[in-house]
Amino acid sequence: ECQRALDINPKQSYIYVIRRMVFVRMGKPRLALAAAQKGVEAGPEDPWCHFALSGEYARSQQDDKALAAINRAIELAPPLRTSNRFYAERGPILLRLGREEAALADFHKAIELAPHYPYTYKRRAALHFRLGRYDKALADLEESLKLEPNDPSCVYWIDPGSVAKCSDEEFREGIFRLA
């Protein structure tokens, strides 16, 4: 279906984004990357095409390219309509590049844009834990559980072995309460 739509109008950039998702689900990373690149060619001003390209670069461990693509997506997105996902997904890229405080700022921005999205609280909690900010990590995990009370996965966002070795007894007790 995607190919038929592209045969009719090859400038439909969103079709390439859909095609990329199909290739990802099929386990074909090279084709997914090629589809994302064609999406950017067809829609150079479409932030979602740059976001998709960033995802493919991140998936293939090309973090500098992933960061450039997602930065372009953020630049192109209208300020009031910027998706929290752009910031939530840029955070892990920044982490892999060793830019922890920048990643933390992105998680804050993502939560500001969509405070009812528990996934970002979990990511931010893991980073707070990594930075030794155990009270903030626990608060974020508690918030994610409030937002999704039937999803106890928040306790697994921080490695259980790391929790067991954590010197902060209040944090360890808090995690066990959440579980």
Side-chain angles (χ1 to χ4, degrees):
E1 293 301 313
C2 288
Q3 187 57 53
R4 212 169 353 162
L6 291 171
D7 289 343
I8 295 168
N9 183 356
K11 296 210 182 269
Q12 296 181 78
S13 58
Y14 68 93
I15 299 295
Y16 290 104
V17 173
I18 294 168
R19 190 176 209 188
R20 169 212 165 236
M21 289 187 297
V22 170
F23 287 136
V24 166
R25 289 191 178 116
M26 292 172 66
K28 298 187 176 198
R30 284 194 303 246
L31 293 175
L33 177 58
Q37 290 169 328
K38 287 188 179 216
V40 169
E41 289 171 20
E45 301 302 311
D46 182 342
W48 288 99
C49 290
H50 291 276
F51 179 71
L53 182 58
S54 173
E56 290 315 306
Y57 283 139
R59 197 179 322 282
S60 63
Q61 306 291 309
Q62 298 180 62
D63 290 327
D64 289 328
K65 288 182 178 182
L67 183 59
I70 204 160
N71 284 344
R72 184 68 179 139
I74 289 170
E75 287 171 18
L76 291 170
L80 296 176
R81 299 193 59 206
T82 300
S83 170
N84 69 305
R85 287 185 56 203
F86 291 3
Y87 291 98
E89 295 300 326
R90 186 169 68 175
I93 296 166
L94 291 166
L95 276 176
R96 287 192 301 275
L97 292 170
R99 297 174 55 192
E100 293 169 332
E101 292 301 325
L104 189 59
D106 273 4
F107 294 144
H108 288 315
K109 182 69 173 179
I111 288 169
E112 175 187 314
L113 292 168
H116 302 295
Y117 189 58
Y119 186 71
T120 311
Y121 287 96
K122 295 172 189 178
R123 282 188 163 173
R124 190 172 70 176
L127 179 53
H128 278 310
F129 181 83
R130 179 173 163 175
L131 295 172
R133 300 170 184 161
Y134 304 119
D135 56 335
K136 291 181 179 184
L138 189 57
D140 277 348
L141 293 175
E142 288 170 346
E143 186 62 29
S144 75
L145 195 56
K146 283 181 198 170
L147 294 170
E148 277 190 332
N150 295 325
D151 179 17
S153 73
C154 68
V155 297
Y156 302 111
W157 275 77
I158 299 171
D159 173 57
S162 298
V163 171
K165 293 176 188 173
C166 179
S167 62
D168 189 305
E169 190 173 326
E170 278 186 51
F171 178 80
R172 286 194 322 269
E173 289 174 6
I175 284 284
F176 293 127
R177 275 194 317 273
L178 291 176

